Amino acid sequence: ITRNTLTSLEKTCLLFNMSGNEEVYYITVISRVNSNECINNDKLPFTILIKKSTLDVYTNQGGKSDEFRKLD
């Protein structure tokens, strides 16, 4: 999240809802902690997908909810 500048919020302001029940991907939905210190203009929530077979990482941050791009 930090390396790819997916949000300008500090780690303490982020909530992570993780799921590994999908057959192909690990899924993590990132949202904002509800507090005055954690307000910004970033687009939240967003999703990170990790492909189980290759560990390639994808996100829909900055796009539509069903448009994923690969991260470095």
Side-chain angles (χ1 to χ4, degrees):
I1 292 172
T2 303
R3 180 176 36 170
N4 288 279
T5 319
L6 298 180
T7 181
S8 61
L9 287 172
E10 296 294 322
K11 215 183 325 183
T12 57
C13 287
L14 300 176
L15 293 174
F16 299 89
N17 183 2
M18 295 176 245
S19 168
N21 296 335
E22 295 293 322
E23 203 170 301
V24 178
Y25 294 99
Y26 297 107
I27 300 170
T28 304
V29 176
I30 294 89
S31 57
R32 179 184 6 251
V33 170
N34 192 12
S35 74
N36 290 335
E37 298 84 36
C38 298
I39 296 172
N40 71 357
N41 293 324
D42 287 354
K43 184 178 178 183
L44 290 167
F46 63 90
T47 303
I48 291 178
L49 302 176
I50 301 171
K51 194 169 187 178
K52 290 182 177 183
S53 62
T54 63
L55 299 181
D56 289 337
V57 181
Y58 304 86
T59 187
N60 64 347
Q61 173 63 318
K64 295 180 181 175
S65 64
D66 61 347
E67 291 179 349
F68 286 86
R69 62 181 168 87
K70 188 174 179 183
L71 296 178
D72 296 328

